[in-house]
Amino acid sequence: MNSTVKYFAEAKSRGEPIAMITAYDATSAALAQAAGITNLLVGDSLGMVVQGRDSTLPVTLDDICYHTRWVVRGAPESFVIADMPFMSYQVSVEDGLRACGRVVKESGAHAVKLEGGTNIVPLVKALVDIGIPVIGHIGMQPQSVNLYGGYGKRGKSSAGRTKLLDEAQALEAAGIFSIVLENIPHKLAGEISGSLVIPTIGIGAGPECDGQIQVFHDLLGLQPDFKPRHTRRFGEIGQAIVTALAAYADEVHRGKFVSK
Ligand code: KIV
């Protein structure tokens, strides 16, 4: 494997920014690995970009096991992190241990990601104790969309800022190897990054994070009409697919393309 938990710590101490991307199947995982991106997250964003739902909330543990298995298969040299879905780990430490253990055993994931702050500290400690690496996720937490009434920035007030700084410290002390900072003020992301030994991975959190993560479909423009503010498109693949499919359909309709 090209990347391990150790890589995250070493990259930060070398000052080398960490590139991460989501993947949901063997093809996207193999393409990412071929591009040299070997830290892959099977995000519960699959609920929105693969299943076409309005939020990540309906994603199940079965869904995460299923997609993670194919990502591990498609990118055997990569470090694959499974995103634990809503209500698979929030009820009790025992539930969380079983759910995370199941994902690791059934899919071959190398680590799990958990959204949450001090509330998940006991679970993080229990997972690390049994050998399952955990990456945290604070700031805008998509699984709490109903509580906040949307996907807006977090940590803008002074209380919000203090809470995020405290949560990051508590999670690091509990044993996470890295932490995703989603949609928080750039200055705060810089402060958090400077206060932690482990690397921060930003999405909508500015340039002072130790790495960046993006959703595969957003980065490549696979949904041409969806342009989140935190994404820069590195390709217009959605439009390229529509153009290619339209050319295929046109040739079939005119009798020009016949499979031989
Ligand atoms: O589910 C996901 O894709 C994520 C990333 C955006 C961090 O949580």
Side-chain angles (χ1 to χ4, degrees):
M1 207 196 308
N2 284 337
S3 183
T4 62
V5 167
K6 261 173 76 188
Y7 164 75
F8 283 78
E10 288 168 2
K12 178 154 182 165
S13 58
R14 285 198 296 267
E16 176 185 312
I18 299 166
M20 291 184 65
I21 192 162
T22 64
Y24 312 102
D25 58 22
T27 301
S28 57
L31 290 170
Q33 184 174 279
I37 307 175
T38 54
N39 294 301
L40 306 178
L41 171 71
V42 185
D44 63 355
S45 50
L46 71 85
M48 298 167 92
V49 299
V50 176
Q51 299 173 340
R53 298 178 190 267
D54 291 338
S55 78
T56 61
L57 299 180
V59 173
T60 65
L61 195 55
D62 284 347
D63 292 335
I64 293 293
C65 283
Y66 176 85
H67 288 275
T68 305
R69 188 178 306 140
W70 308 133
V71 169
V72 169
R73 193 180 175 95
E77 301 302 318
S78 295
F79 184 73
V80 178
I81 302 166
D83 202 4
M84 296 307 292
F86 181 56
M87 291 311 286
S88 66
Y89 62 93
Q90 286 92 343
V91 174
S92 67
V93 170
E94 286 75 14
D95 264 9
L97 279 172
R98 279 201 188 88
C100 295
R102 182 183 155 203
V103 171
V104 168
K105 273 178 99 81
E106 288 184 16
S107 71
H110 306 107
V112 296
K113 178 168 83 58
L114 306 177
E115 289 183 17
T118 43
N119 57 319
I120 60 160
V121 161
L123 175 58
V124 171
K125 285 184 177 156
L127 287 165
V128 173
D129 266 358
I130 61 163
I132 298 182
V134 183
I135 182 168
H137 182 158
I138 60 171
M140 200 284 283
Q141 296 170 32
Q143 291 177 11
S144 303
V145 59
N146 291 327
L147 186 65
Y148 293 100
Y151 295 103
K153 237 185 216 343
R154 305 282 185 268
K156 289 199 290 194
S157 66
S158 139
R161 172 184 166 276
T162 307
K163 183 167 183 282
L164 287 176
L165 278 162
D166 290 349
E167 284 177 342
Q169 293 288 341
L171 288 164
E172 177 173 76
I176 57 171
F177 67 92
S178 179
I179 187 163
V180 172
L181 304 179
E182 180 158 2
N183 206 7
I184 65 171
H186 297 186
K187 188 163 168 286
L188 174 57
E191 285 178 63
I192 295 175
S193 303
S195 75
L196 299 179
V197 174
I198 56 164
T200 58
I201 308 294
I203 175 163
E208 288 180 48
C209 296
D210 303 302
Q212 301 288 327
I213 184 161
Q214 289 285 303
V215 170
F216 190 90
H217 291 53
D218 298 346
L219 196 76
L220 298 175
L222 282 175
Q223 295 167 311
D225 297 332
F226 181 62
K227 290 187 181 155
R229 222 171 41 82
H230 59 256
T231 299
R232 188 171 122 214
R233 289 231 182 125
F234 283 78
E236 293 295 343
I237 311 303
Q239 196 45 57
I241 291 174
V242 172
T243 305
L245 292 177
Y248 161 68
D250 179 57
E251 292 211 9
V252 172
H253 294 149
R254 290 188 294 118
K256 295 259 289 178
F257 173 76
V258 180
S259 179
K260 292 179 187 136

